[in-house]
Each structure stands twice: as C-alpha cells, then as structure tokens.
Amino acid sequence: MEYLIQNLVTDAELLARYGLTVEEYRDAMPAAIEAARGSMSASNASRRRFLLDVLEALLAAGLVDSVTKPQYGDDTVYRLAVPGFGSVAIIQKGCPDGAHSSIRWSVPDWARETYLWWLCDSMKAEPGEHIAKGIQRMRSRYLDPADRTVDGVIFHNHLCGTPKRRCPKQGRAVQIGGQLVPPPCVYVMPDNSTPDLNWAGRQQRFFPGILLGLFGIGQEALPLYLGHVGFQRKSGEVRTTISARFGVGRSTTYRR
C-alpha cells in the first residue's frame, strides 16, 4: 500500500482525472496521510469509549466490583472482578472477519472466563455475516483440545440500535454514555475438551447473565437472548452451527 501511494505521483493521467497535477499531489500527500491517521485514531478512541461505557455501567449497577483498563498493545484486555465468581477478561477486537480479530488472541492466566468483544462498525455486511466469518476462522482453535480458547464472543458497538444498524432487541435498550443501547449479541462458545463441542447449545457460562442483567434480562429470560456456537465432527467433516436469539419465539440459526 505504501508503494502504491508513493508511486501514484508518477501517474499524471490518473491524477488529472481527479483534478490534480503531479505537483499538487506531491505537496498535499503528507497532510492527507496525517489527516487519515488522525481520523483512524479518533475512530478507535470512539470504539474504546463505547466498550468502556458499557463496562462502567456494569460497575455503576453493582454487577461487577471493578473494571481494570488495559495497557493498549497487541491485545486490548479489560479485567472485570465479578462478585462471587472471580476475574473475567474482555478482549477488545475489531471486525471478526480479519485474522487479528478472530484467531490472534490469548487467554489471560488470571481469567476464569474470557470473551472476545467485536467492536465492528463495518457496513460491508450484515452482523450475522461478520460473525459467521469470524467463527469459521476460529474453528481450528476449537478443534485442538490442547488450545486454551475463549468462552464466548460478543458482537456490539455504538451503531447497534441506531438507524444504521437496527436491533430486534431495541425494546430492552438502556441509557449508556448518552445513547440508548440495546443488549449485545452474546454467543457461548464450546469447551474444546468436550466431545460434543456445544452442538446442541447446552454449554453454560456465568458472565453472560451478568452482562445481559444490565439490560433487565434475568436468569429466567436469559435463554431467550443468549446465542451459542457449536461444532460437530461427522463423516470426516466438521460442521458449524451459530444460533442467535432475541426474545420469545425469535431466533435465527446458521449451519454450514
């Protein structure tokens, strides 16, 4: 990409189509690159702020005892102290269809449960398609019983519940960070040490009940709003199932 940007200056015909001379392009390029970097940095800060607002809302509601902010690096990991349970890790990632956000992560030694939180604001595909691509990438890690894997994935960002990304759970939205935020899409992942790999969705986790409790979803209603991911080895092939639930009698299932 760097090579392409630098060498566009040699293509006077292409630049002319955009109303630029070679000299104008050369003079404007450094400032344009810096502006793009600034825009990307602001976008990342906005995404981080949304997630922190949700986690701090859990703290304000007394659902967690503390939220420890990450040292930003390759993996951005929040540490939540959950009463009567222990530490939960939230690994912040971008869109799940990229390798960095789907398979390049590690579970902290201190975490009793760990979740990938996909802060994906790409409008190139529907959320379900983004999730399916990420799960397919992650599958190989779950087929390795020696790998320490995450306990669930969460797909949720500041667009959810807005006109850009309407949410069927909007009736459960609460005020967080100055906007109405619907419950996140939470998917329980399998324990890769078990033979059935959560194909039937029976795997139990603790933290989803805490997170969805912020939106008034109690333990009795939790199964109506909690999705799951499962894998199945059959006839030498591996199948994937992804189930999303968003209320009484409302669900979708993807199988491949």
Side-chain angles (χ1 to χ4, degrees), residues 115-164:
Y115 295 81
L116 285 187
W117 191 306
W118 285 322
L119 291 165
C120 181
D121 55 9
S122 170
M123 303 299 291
K124 293 180 180 178
E126 293 294 324
E129 184 177 345
H130 282 298
I131 293 164
K133 288 180 179 179
I135 295 300
Q136 288 300 110
R137 280 182 172 269
M138 295 171 68
R139 189 173 68 175
S140 61
R141 297 197 62 171
Y142 283 86
L143 299 179
D144 179 1
D147 199 349
R148 190 176 180 201
T149 52
V150 295
D151 299 286
V153 297
I154 300 165
F155 188 96
H156 198 44
N157 83 330
H158 67 285
L159 295 180
C160 295
T162 69
K164 288 186 177 180

Side-chain angles (χ1 to χ4, degrees), residues 224-241:
L224 302 175
Y225 292 90
L226 187 58
H228 83 272
V229 173
F231 305 109
Q232 182 185 67
R233 292 185 177 94
K234 192 173 183 180
S235 302
E237 296 184 353
V238 179
R239 301 180 66 204
T240 302
T241 184

Side-chain angles (χ1 to χ4, degrees), residues 47-134:
R47 288 196 293 268
R48 289 196 297 267
R49 184 67 251 176
F50 173 82
L51 177 52
L52 185 57
D53 282 344
V54 174
L55 300 183
E56 289 182 340
L58 289 171
L59 182 62
L63 294 169
V64 301
D65 287 335
S66 65
V67 177
T68 303
K69 298 178 185 179
Q71 297 294 321
Y72 293 106
D74 290 338
D75 273 348
T76 301
V77 184
Y78 293 84
R79 182 171 182 167
L80 311 182
V82 180
F85 182 73
S87 292
V88 171
I90 303 294
I91 304 175
Q92 174 191 306
K93 292 292 186 179
C95 288
D97 52 353
H100 177 74
S101 294
S102 55
I103 58 176
R104 293 177 187 164
W105 43 263
S106 58
V107 174
D109 292 336
W110 47 259
R112 187 167 178 188
E113 287 185 355
T114 300
Y115 295 81
L116 285 187
W117 191 306
W118 285 322
L119 291 165
C120 181
D121 55 9
S122 170
M123 303 299 291
K124 293 180 180 178
E126 293 294 324
E129 184 177 345
H130 282 298
I131 293 164
K133 288 180 179 179

